[in-house]
Amino acid sequence: MRIQKWLAAICAASMIAACGGGDDGDGTEPIDTTPAPGQIGTGEFNANTYLVTAADSAGSSLTADTFTLIKPQAAVHKVGDVLVIDAHGGRLVRIVGVRQTDAEIHYQYEQASLAQAFKHLDIHMQGALTAEDLGDLSDQQGDPEIALEWVTAADAKSAAADIAQEKIEASTHQLQISYKNLGFQTGSGITINGQSSFQLNPDFSIQLSRTSDQAIPELEFTAKVSPDLDTSVTIGSQYGGQVSYTLDKDFPLKPIRRIIIVPVGGVPVPVPFWVQPVVNVSGGVSGTAGSSFSTTQNYGVGGEFGFSRVRGSGFDAVANVSPRSSMDVSDVESEFGVTLTAPKLELYFKIYSVAGPFFDVGLESSLIGKGGVQGEPPVEGVEVEGSAAIVANAGLKAGLDLGDIDGVAKLLGNVSFEYSPISIKVYSYELFQKTWFFPYTGRASIVVNDNGNVADDIFEVALDGTVVGRTNKGGSGQFRLKDLRPGERTLTLTTIEDDAPPGTYEITLSDGLTFANGSTYRSGTLSLGASTSFTVIVPSTSTGSP
């Protein structure tokens, strides 16, 4: 097992405190086992488990199924042995085949589990992760739409200042995700701008133990996070019609190395415990709008949430959450029905590059704008109904690089519960339901419909060369136009999508607008990509401003 070489190599790598205070590290003198900085627990290897140190694996390579070591520094292991690799972000592997050349050892392997590697394991990882742990995040830049960076607490709070019911504790390890014109693309009709700020401070413990008379190990697992999350996001429809956008982006961060003290041949050996945090942001918008609208949503979560699993029972939610939020709506020019999911933050942790706990928190909200009448005398307009709820989940799941294997089973192995990816809704709280009213004063209306037998057309509508919106596919678009000057205007229709040619349309004018012949209705057909124009008369008595 080459204990002396392990100790010498690891001590040479600035691990003297973890290795102990013996005279030369050969195990002949008593060794100080006082935990060193970065130590998070203790463990005991199973009989066929071996550590592969950084010195052992110098020049090594790791593929999806083969671990290659360079001779002569590396010992030769046999089929069935489990290796704890202190390289490549950390791996637990079980050898299923061995092939040697004069210069190399090639191990075919499968993912091993904590239960296969350790007879006993007691770990508690806690505390905020900082730039010292994760680096400067420069490799996460370059995306024109979304970026992750370190900021100060004051900078992180600036965008969400309106909802700060409680201040985030001053911190130099605040992370911020910025959303920059998300979804700004032809046919989308939606832009998302804003930012989320949070801390990455996991708190999880694993206790794995097996006595000689137990067939399978007992497992206790607790995981919590206190992100102190604040999100401020503005979502706007640039024009009417069908609007949709889906956000789903991962930020894999630098793997973190901590130390477990494991006795090997009676000598305490520092063994690496590797964890890789991953930040994911997701969200979406879907629905239809007659014309433009804008909503600004702010939400934040203080406190902590997660899950706990004690011996002999299942997983239970852990939550001590204080939510905060606000929502505003503006620039509503017509009816709409839109489902919004403001960007949701997910944090998950891959232990030994396999699987681990995850936590997510987000705002589930909706907006519906319906035609209505309010006031005395009555004024026609749009009544907007909004609602929002903060929802948090926690559980265990596989890392994305494992494909379709059961990553949780691979992480934990044969332990005392049904291992599978789990997800627990740890917190759900309805924040508010609000209404706003937007009158139609001083505006005129143009409605364009697909009136064919097949609901397949999308038309772009422009007035005097300026695009004012698009219709919903196979449906309609109602475009409220304000500040129209009296006189002749040019209304142009262009077929953007047409699954069953030709495109079929009908146009209805109201609020005093007419076509040149005095009518308020036109219909016809229009090929894909083609345009047609009509003269529209805005009378001097129009509801539009002169």
Side-chain angles (χ1 to χ4, degrees), residues 442-446 480-481 484-487 508-516 518-520 535-544:
R443 303 181 183 184
S445 176
I446 301 171
R480 287 281 176 177
L481 307 174
L484 296 179
R485 301 188 313 277
T508 303
L509 307 179
S510 58
D511 296 329
L513 297 185
T514 64
F515 291 104
S519 70
T520 58
T535 298
V536 173
I537 307 299
V538 180
S540 58
T541 56
S542 166
T543 56

Coordinates of all heavy atoms in Angstrom, one line a residue, residues 442-446 480-481 484-487 508-516 518-520 535-544:
G442 N -57.0 57.6 -26.3 CA -56.1 58.2 -27.3 C -55.5 57.2 -28.2 O -54.4 57.4 -28.7
R443 N -56.1 56.0 -28.4 CA -55.5 55.0 -29.2 C -56.5 54.4 -30.2 O -57.7 54.5 -30.0 CB -55.0 53.9 -28.3 CG -54.0 54.4 -27.3 CD -53.4 53.3 -26.5 NE -52.5 53.8 -25.4 CZ -51.8 53.1 -24.6 NH1 -51.9 51.8 -24.6 NH2 -51.1 53.7 -23.7
A444 N -56.0 53.9 -31.3 CA -56.8 53.3 -32.3 C -56.4 51.8 -32.4 O -55.3 51.4 -32.0 CB -56.7 53.9 -33.7
S445 N -57.3 51.0 -33.0 CA -57.1 49.5 -33.0 C -57.1 48.9 -34.4 O -57.9 49.3 -35.2 CB -58.2 48.9 -32.1 OG -58.0 47.5 -32.2
I446 N -56.1 48.0 -34.6 CA -56.1 47.2 -35.8 C -56.0 45.8 -35.4 O -55.2 45.4 -34.6 CB -54.8 47.6 -36.7 CG1 -54.8 49.0 -37.1 CG2 -54.8 46.6 -37.9 CD1 -53.5 49.4 -37.8
R480 N -52.9 48.1 -30.6 CA -53.3 49.4 -30.1 C -52.3 50.4 -30.5 O -51.1 50.4 -30.1 CB -53.5 49.4 -28.6 CG -54.8 48.6 -28.2 CD -56.0 49.4 -28.4 NE -57.2 48.6 -28.1 CZ -58.4 49.1 -28.2 NH1 -58.6 50.4 -28.5 NH2 -59.5 48.4 -27.9
L481 N -52.7 51.4 -31.3 CA -51.7 52.4 -31.8 C -52.1 53.8 -31.2 O -53.3 54.2 -31.1 CB -51.8 52.6 -33.3 CG -51.7 51.2 -34.1 CD1 -51.9 51.4 -35.5 CD2 -50.3 50.7 -33.8
L484 N -51.7 58.9 -33.2 CA -51.8 58.9 -34.6 C -52.2 60.2 -35.2 O -53.2 60.9 -34.7 CB -52.8 57.8 -35.1 CG -52.5 56.4 -34.7 CD1 -53.6 55.5 -35.2 CD2 -51.2 55.9 -35.3
R485 N -51.4 60.7 -36.1 CA -51.7 62.0 -36.8 C -52.8 61.8 -37.8 O -52.8 60.8 -38.5 CB -50.5 62.6 -37.4 CG -49.3 62.9 -36.5 CD -48.2 63.7 -37.1 NE -47.9 63.1 -38.5 CZ -47.0 62.1 -38.6 NH1 -46.5 61.5 -37.6 NH2 -46.8 61.7 -39.9
P486 N -53.7 62.8 -38.0 CA -54.7 62.7 -39.0 C -54.1 62.6 -40.4 O -53.0 63.2 -40.6 CB -55.6 63.9 -38.9 CG -55.3 64.4 -37.5 CD -53.9 64.0 -37.1
G487 N -54.7 61.9 -41.3 CA -54.2 61.8 -42.7 C -54.1 60.4 -43.1 O -54.6 59.5 -42.5
T508 N -59.4 44.1 -39.5 CA -60.6 44.9 -39.0 C -60.0 46.1 -38.3 O -59.1 46.0 -37.4 CB -61.4 44.1 -38.0 OG1 -61.9 42.9 -38.6 CG2 -62.6 44.9 -37.5
L509 N -60.5 47.3 -38.7 CA -60.1 48.6 -38.2 C -61.2 49.1 -37.2 O -62.4 48.8 -37.4 CB -59.9 49.6 -39.2 CG -58.9 49.3 -40.4 CD1 -58.8 50.4 -41.4 CD2 -57.5 48.9 -39.8
S510 N -60.8 49.8 -36.2 CA -61.8 50.4 -35.3 C -61.3 51.7 -34.7 O -60.2 52.2 -35.1 CB -62.2 49.4 -34.2 OG -61.0 49.1 -33.4
D511 N -62.1 52.3 -33.8 CA -61.7 53.6 -33.2 C -61.5 54.7 -34.2 O -60.6 55.6 -34.1 CB -60.4 53.5 -32.4 CG -60.6 52.5 -31.2 OD1 -61.8 52.4 -30.7 OD2 -59.6 51.8 -30.8
G512 N -62.4 54.7 -35.3 CA -62.4 55.8 -36.3 C -61.5 55.5 -37.5 O -61.6 56.3 -38.5
L513 N -60.6 54.5 -37.5 CA -59.8 54.2 -38.7 C -60.6 53.6 -39.8 O -61.6 52.8 -39.5 CB -58.7 53.3 -38.3 CG -57.6 53.7 -37.3 CD1 -56.5 52.6 -37.1 CD2 -57.0 55.0 -37.7
T514 N -60.3 53.9 -41.1 CA -61.0 53.3 -42.2 C -60.0 53.1 -43.3 O -58.9 53.7 -43.3 CB -62.1 54.2 -42.8 OG1 -61.6 55.4 -43.3 CG2 -63.2 54.5 -41.7
F515 N -60.3 52.2 -44.2 CA -59.5 52.0 -45.4 C -59.9 53.2 -46.4 O -60.8 53.9 -46.1 CB -59.8 50.7 -46.1 CG -59.2 49.5 -45.3 CD1 -60.1 48.7 -44.5 CD2 -57.8 49.3 -45.3 CE1 -59.6 47.7 -43.8 CE2 -57.3 48.2 -44.5 CZ -58.2 47.4 -43.8
A516 N -59.1 53.3 -47.5 CA -59.3 54.4 -48.4 C -60.8 54.5 -48.9 O -61.3 55.5 -49.3 CB -58.3 54.4 -49.5
G518 N -63.4 53.7 -47.4 CA -64.4 54.0 -46.3 C -64.8 52.7 -45.5 O -65.5 52.9 -44.5
S519 N -64.3 51.5 -45.9 CA -64.7 50.3 -45.2 C -63.7 50.1 -44.0 O -62.7 50.8 -43.9 CB -64.6 49.1 -46.1 OG -63.2 48.8 -46.4
T520 N -64.1 49.2 -43.1 CA -63.2 48.9 -42.0 C -62.8 47.4 -42.0 O -62.2 46.9 -41.0 CB -63.9 49.2 -40.6 OG1 -65.1 48.4 -40.6 CG2 -64.3 50.7 -40.5
T535 N -54.0 51.7 -47.8 CA -54.0 53.0 -47.3 C -55.1 53.1 -46.2 O -56.2 52.7 -46.4 CB -54.3 54.0 -48.4 OG1 -53.3 54.0 -49.4 CG2 -54.5 55.4 -47.8
V536 N -54.7 53.6 -45.0 CA -55.6 53.8 -43.9 C -55.8 55.2 -43.6 O -54.8 56.0 -43.6 CB -55.0 53.0 -42.7 CG1 -55.8 53.3 -41.4 CG2 -54.9 51.5 -42.9
I537 N -57.0 55.6 -43.4 CA -57.3 57.0 -43.2 C -57.5 57.3 -41.7 O -58.3 56.6 -41.0 CB -58.6 57.5 -43.9 CG1 -58.5 57.1 -45.4 CG2 -58.9 59.0 -43.7 CD1 -57.3 57.8 -46.1
V538 N -56.8 58.2 -41.1 CA -57.0 58.6 -39.7 C -57.7 60.0 -39.8 O -57.1 61.0 -40.2 CB -55.6 58.8 -39.0 CG1 -55.8 59.2 -37.6 CG2 -54.8 57.5 -39.1
P539 N -59.0 60.0 -39.4 CA -59.7 61.3 -39.6 C -59.3 62.3 -38.5 O -58.7 62.0 -37.5 CB -61.2 60.8 -39.3 CG -61.0 59.6 -38.5 CD -59.8 58.9 -38.9
S540 N -59.6 63.5 -38.7 CA -59.3 64.6 -37.8 C -60.0 64.4 -36.5 O -59.6 65.0 -35.4 CB -59.6 66.0 -38.4 OG -61.0 66.1 -38.7
T541 N -61.1 63.7 -36.5 CA -61.8 63.4 -35.2 C -61.4 62.1 -34.6 O -62.0 61.6 -33.7 CB -63.3 63.3 -35.5 OG1 -63.5 62.3 -36.5 CG2 -63.8 64.7 -36.0
S542 N -60.2 61.6 -35.0 CA -59.8 60.3 -34.5 C -59.5 60.4 -33.0 O -59.2 61.5 -32.5 CB -58.5 59.8 -35.2 OG -57.8 58.8 -34.5
T543 N -59.5 59.3 -32.3 CA -59.1 59.3 -30.9 C -57.6 59.5 -30.7 O -57.1 59.7 -29.6 CB -59.5 57.9 -30.2 OG1 -58.9 56.9 -31.0 CG2 -61.0 57.7 -30.2
G544 N -56.9 59.4 -31.9 CA -55.4 59.6 -31.8 C -55.2 61.1 -31.6 O -56.0 62.0 -32.0

